[in-house]
Amino acid sequence: MPDLVHRSHDIGRVVSRIALAAVFVSGGRHVWQHPEGPAQGAQTFLKRCRRAVPVLDHFSDEQLVRINAAVHVTAGIGLGTGLAPAASAAALAGSLVPTTLAAFPFWTQPEGPQRTHQQGDFLKNLALAGGLLSVVAQAKRRP
């Protein structure tokens, strides 16, 4: 019986990793192919980032968005396939911070449907980050 429980936990971890990975691979692929909209949405955020990190001036908004998309696809594949899942999850969690701040700054919106929508998407990304950090923590516990 303990062996069955152990196997079901392993299956649960694999399914969870694949589900998380699918979000990033699919979204990253879409952003890679169509960076214009996300780049426009990130414009204000990237302007502030450039003041803090001048080396970003060497890249256009679309290039920075595509770099982030490449991280999502690459680390998503690593997470989904189980190749370095902790490192992949950590990379995704790290890239999710600027993505979320750039795409869903609900606190800058007036009360209304746009703010509510952005707040919901912000919270979804927060939940994804929690799932990714769970993968990292799980890897630290396993021998």
Side-chain angles (χ1 to χ4, degrees), residues 19 21 23 25 27 31 36 46 51 59 83 91 97 106 108 111-112 116 122 136:
V23 172
V25 172
V31 170
E36 307 82 17
L46 291 174
R51 284 196 295 266
F59 303 95
L83 298 172
V97 172
F106 69 90
T108 65
E111 289 295 328
T116 302
F122 182 94
V136 173

Side-chain angles (χ1 to χ4, degrees), residues 62-134:
E62 286 187 14
Q63 287 173 322
L64 292 170
V65 164
R66 274 197 162 154
I67 290 167
N68 194 54
V71 169
H72 284 198
V73 170
T74 305
I77 290 170
L79 178 64
T81 59
L83 298 172
S88 297
L92 289 168
S95 73
L96 201 53
V97 172
T99 299
T100 303
L101 294 174
F104 309 119
F106 69 90
W107 54 91
T108 65
Q109 301 294 317
E111 289 295 328
Q114 179 69 15
R115 180 183 178 114
T116 302
H117 183 73
Q118 281 194 4
Q119 187 174 21
D121 287 338
F122 182 94
L123 293 172
K124 286 178 198 172
N125 279 10
L126 185 61
L128 285 171
L132 292 167
L133 294 175
S134 177

Side-chain angles (χ1 to χ4, degrees), residues 29-53:
R29 186 177 148 273
H30 178 76
V31 170
W32 178 268
Q33 292 173 334
H34 309 283
E36 307 82 17
Q40 185 177 5
Q43 193 172 33
T44 302
F45 176 77
L46 291 174
K47 198 177 291 183
R48 280 183 295 199
C49 289
R50 284 186 173 91
R51 284 196 295 266
V53 185

